[in-house]
Amino acid sequence: MGDVIEVRSPADGRLVGSVPSMSAAEVQALAKDLRDAQLAWEDIGPDRRAKVLLAWGDWCLDNDRRICELVQAESGKAWADASLEVTAGVQMINHCATVGPPALTTKKVKAHGAIGFSRRLSVRYRPYPLVGLITPWNGPVGAPMFDAVPALMAGAAVLSKPSEVVPLSWLEVVAGFREAGGPNVIGCATGAGDVGAAVVDEADFVMFTGSTRTGRAIGVRCAERLIPCSLELGGKDPMIVLDDADLDTAVEAATWGGMANAGQICVSVERVYVEAPVYDEFVSKLTDKVGGLRLGTDAPGDYSVEVGAMATAAQVDIVERHVEDARAKGARITTGGHRGADGLYFEPTVLADVDHTMACMQEETFGPTLPVMSVRDEDEAVRLANATSYGLSASVWTRDPERAERVGRRVEAGAVNVNSVITNMFQLALPQGGWKESGIGARFGGADGVLKYCRKQAVVTNRVEMREPYFFPNSKRKGRLMGAGARMMSARDWRRKLGLRAR
Ligand code: ADP
């Protein structure tokens, strides 16, 4: 038995609970139990699995308040942020229960050419038996739900590893799967990065959400083990505000997109480029709006603050470093700019007149800051938006649909929102995935989001049972006949079909 991990509230440091840091042997034993239960789970079929998942969704709603309070206690979120975690997960259950069963039925395939005339072809979807699911601290329940649900729908068992910073609420939700009548096909390995690594060593497929640095390490390990992985990594999501945009709405959206969840959302607003003619007005309105936000962790049900605590002290340090670096290099801090007095808070901050020499425009901040930069025109906006190793999401603001199309198409990101921010995250029928160093693969996306947890099995049966013409032994006569037949099937014109020379 290893150490115990204490979970403390970022709001006031009080002890919320503790979990064991599991040993590799304990992770191995958990993986074995899950594998043992997986085949029966696969065998009951998609419709019955959907029913179990829907019952889990009911359980989640019945326990919504209790779980969200635990989310808030361990993460320090504003209640408005914490209160959406469970319902977001239930939405994913409803989505997968709808798109999963039809997608998972075996599909008939038409054969190519005459060679398949005597066969029946189909594609069967068989799950990766054990999906390893490693999640970060910004969405203690929502994040693992978004991936556990489609994997379970596919028929896989799920070995989850929540962040060591916020493991308590997810443990409750996993227990709820059993209480709702589900079998032993989802488990929870608790601990830090070493436990995550042990999960990677046990799984047949790894779904990881977190930093690019850790994602790269996991990708390397998966390559060594020759298992697939899907990686949802960091982002430096640009917002491009063109001079014909509805500025008031753009300001509201930037404020919400940059500050929701205290800025700790991978698909968010990390930097803003505003066309020069409207730059001053945008900064002034943004400063007023952000300056009016309330910082703190409110009581459950209160909805009396907009910006909650940050999950870790390390995260506050990053935000402070980015702000100080910007300040030193000449940025104007028009509102905010400091740590909160007690607890892990940082004031909602606007950094104006920033440029690409500053860390806040280069590195992921993941905090309540909005760096804003003036750009000459669309071209400069696109060039700067793409001047990053990340490519997770972006937004374009304009009243002109043609400009939106022109600019959006050139942005190198897995998602583009026109006149809205973050909204692609709530559209479960769309794929959510990062380009460049923001990830590999995608989650959601209707049926694709479920099928990604399946291996495709090609199935061939015979319409007529017969001796195959190519069985041994070979002979000249048979060889020539087969060659002529193959040529007949391959060529597009009669001269070539008959093997005649060109005149
Ligand atoms: P952060 O450091 O910002 O919390 P990470 O990307 O390092 O973000 O962590 C995300 C998740 O990955 C957490 O659950 C963490 O425990 C886990 N993790 C960290 N290092 C590894 C690793 N080497 N292998 C597998 N999981 C890891």
Side-chain angles (χ1 to χ4, degrees), residues 134-137 161-164 191-193 196-197 200 208-211 213-214 218:
I134 300 168
T135 44
W137 38 255
K161 207 301 278 177
S163 165
E164 60 275 29
V200 174
F208 171 76
T209 306
S211 65
R213 182 180 45 82
T214 301
I218 288 176

Side-chain angles (χ1 to χ4, degrees), residues 245-373:
D246 173 346
L247 273 202
D248 290 323
T249 310
V251 163
E252 297 258 16
T255 306
W256 178 71
M259 304 298 165
N261 215 31
Q264 304 167 113
I265 310 180
C266 49
V267 172
S268 70
V269 176
E270 276 268 328
R271 54 199 166 120
V272 190
Y273 300 99
V274 186
E275 273 193 311
V278 293
Y279 175 77
D280 288 338
E281 188 184 348
F282 182 89
V283 170
S284 151
K285 287 182 162 166
L286 186 68
T287 301
D288 287 349
K289 189 81 201 171
V290 172
L293 300 179
R294 295 162 297 180
L295 179 66
T297 302
D298 46 355
D302 255 14
Y303 300 98
S304 57
V305 299
E306 285 78 32
V307 183
M310 312 213 57
T312 67
Q315 207 50 45
V316 182
D317 290 345
I318 292 173
V319 177
E320 187 169 54
R321 177 167 64 76
H322 286 191
V323 169
E324 289 315 316
D325 171 76
R327 197 196 304 267
K329 289 175 178 159
R332 271 189 303 132
I333 297 173
T334 60
T335 184
H338 306 98
R339 288 170 182 262
D342 302 305
L344 301 181
Y345 295 100
F346 202 93
E347 294 171 354
T349 300
V350 174
L351 304 166
D353 305 347
V354 297
D355 61 43
H356 272 229
T357 64
M358 301 173 187
C360 65
M361 296 300 269
Q362 295 291 331
E363 300 168 27
E364 187 175 43
T365 309
F366 224 63
T369 59
L370 279 167
V372 193
M373 178 171 178

Side-chain angles (χ1 to χ4, degrees), residues 73-91:
E74 62 183 342
S75 69
K77 285 175 190 251
W79 179 251
D81 294 325
S83 65
L84 295 175
E85 291 263 342
V86 169
T87 40
V90 176
Q91 282 296 328

